[in-house]
Amino acid sequence: MGIFYCPKGGIMNKTKSISLNNVVKIGILSALAFILMFFQVPIPIAPPFMRVDLADVPALVGGFAMGPWAGVAIQLVKNILNLTKTQTVGVGELSNFIVGASFVFVAASIYKNKKTKKTAIFALFCGVIAMTAIATLSNAFVVFPAYGKAMGVDLNAFAGQVPGNPLVRSYVSLMLFSIVPFNIVKGTAAAFVTDLIYKRVSPILKLK
């Protein structure tokens, strides 16, 4: 019977240790994601305040290794940290969290059920689609209206900020021909890098 003996509080202490371990990993990945937000690349199809970065990669890696809610937590902490240098009175951070959380949650939720290379690619593809859909809807009805109101900018004026995209002539076309392709490009870049590095870094994240 001795092999079934567990010291009092042993299971609880182990659970606390695992939880603390994950909190530390989430903190490190959040800090890395925050740093990656400084390295942004503008693309001519989108307004100048929308830029491509790889800050979703740490959240995707964390979500794949520790579960979807860990990935969402990384996105949340990353954007809370970014509030210290916000230029959009918090609206940009809200948008980034909504879009990034949907990307990570969908991808990590699919991947956790069957952790194979094919599933990872399919999960990332679904994450990009979900991200693009949520980004378009949230930007159209929440983020851009809130940002326009905060900055005193008419919604149709945003279309004039994309001179490099001749398809954008109104607020609706801005959403369809700027926001949609922008998020596909950004999501695909993050998905590609995640697929490239995940298996290399996952052993470190899975250490207890």
Side-chain angles (χ1 to χ4, degrees), residues 64-121:
F64 276 18
M66 295 178 284
W69 288 111
V72 171
I74 292 167
Q75 293 284 19
L76 178 62
V77 175
K78 173 192 77 175
N79 281 289
I80 290 175
L81 291 173
N82 201 60
L83 285 171
T84 59
K85 64 180 186 67
T86 184
Q87 297 179 344
T88 61
V89 294
V91 176
E93 286 69 30
L94 173 63
S95 176
N96 190 284
F97 172 70
I98 292 172
V99 174
S102 63
F103 186 9
V104 171
F105 187 81
V106 169
S109 295
I110 294 173
Y111 180 72
K112 75 174 183 178
N113 294 318
K114 189 177 181 182
K115 297 185 176 183
T116 65
K117 177 73 170 180
K118 288 183 179 180
T119 303
I121 294 173

Side-chain angles (χ1 to χ4, degrees), residues 15 26 30 71 98 133 137 139 164 191:
T15 301
I26 288 171
S30 298
I98 292 172
L137 292 173
N139 276 310

Side-chain angles (χ1 to χ4, degrees), residues 186-201:
K186 182 179 180 182
T188 301
F192 176 77
V193 174
T194 301
D195 181 61
L196 195 65
I197 70 170
Y198 176 67
K199 286 300 181 182
R200 293 176 172 83
V201 302

Side-chain angles (χ1 to χ4, degrees), residues 43-58:
I43 56 177
I45 62 171
F49 54 84
M50 295 180 68
R51 300 185 177 190
V52 172
D53 61 49
L54 295 175
D56 289 326
V57 173

Side-chain angles (χ1 to χ4, degrees), residues 9-207:
I11 295 176
M12 184 177 294
N13 289 335
K14 184 177 180 181
T15 301
K16 287 182 178 179
S17 176
I18 293 172
S19 298
L20 179 60
N21 188 276
N22 284 345
V23 168
V24 171
K25 293 172 186 175
I26 288 171
I28 293 172
L29 289 170
S30 298
L32 178 58
F34 172 63
I35 291 171
L36 288 174
M37 293 183 82
F38 285 89
F39 302 94
Q40 302 178 331
V41 179
I43 56 177
I45 62 171
F49 54 84
M50 295 180 68
R51 300 185 177 190
V52 172
D53 61 49
L54 295 175
D56 289 326
V57 173
L60 286 166
V61 169
F64 276 18
M66 295 178 284
W69 288 111
V72 171
I74 292 167
Q75 293 284 19
L76 178 62
V77 175
K78 173 192 77 175
N79 281 289
I80 290 175
L81 291 173
N82 201 60
L83 285 171
T84 59
K85 64 180 186 67
T86 184
Q87 297 179 344
T88 61
V89 294
V91 176
E93 286 69 30
L94 173 63
S95 176
N96 190 284
F97 172 70
I98 292 172
V99 174
S102 63
F103 186 9
V104 171
F105 187 81
V106 169
S109 295
I110 294 173
Y111 180 72
K112 75 174 183 178
N113 294 318
K114 189 177 181 182
K115 297 185 176 183
T116 65
K117 177 73 170 180
K118 288 183 179 180
T119 303
I121 294 173
F122 176 70
L124 290 167
F125 172 78
C126 290
V128 172
I129 298 301
M131 168 189 179
T132 302
I134 295 297
T136 304
L137 292 173
S138 64
N139 276 310
F141 299 109
V142 179
V143 177
F144 272 69
Y147 183 64
K149 186 175 182 179
M151 297 298 179
V153 178
D154 181 74
L155 291 181
N156 284 311
F158 287 116
Q161 297 183 16
V162 198
N165 190 341
L167 296 175
V168 175
R169 298 181 179 180
S170 65
Y171 186 65
V172 174
S173 61
L174 173 68
M175 294 297 128
L176 294 176
F177 303 119
S178 180
I179 304 304
V180 169
F182 170 83
N183 281 282
I184 290 175
V185 170
K186 182 179 180 182
T188 301
F192 176 77
V193 174
T194 301
D195 181 61
L196 195 65
I197 70 170
Y198 176 67
K199 286 300 181 182
R200 293 176 172 83
V201 302
S202 61
I204 300 173
L205 293 172
K206 291 175 182 178
L207 288 176

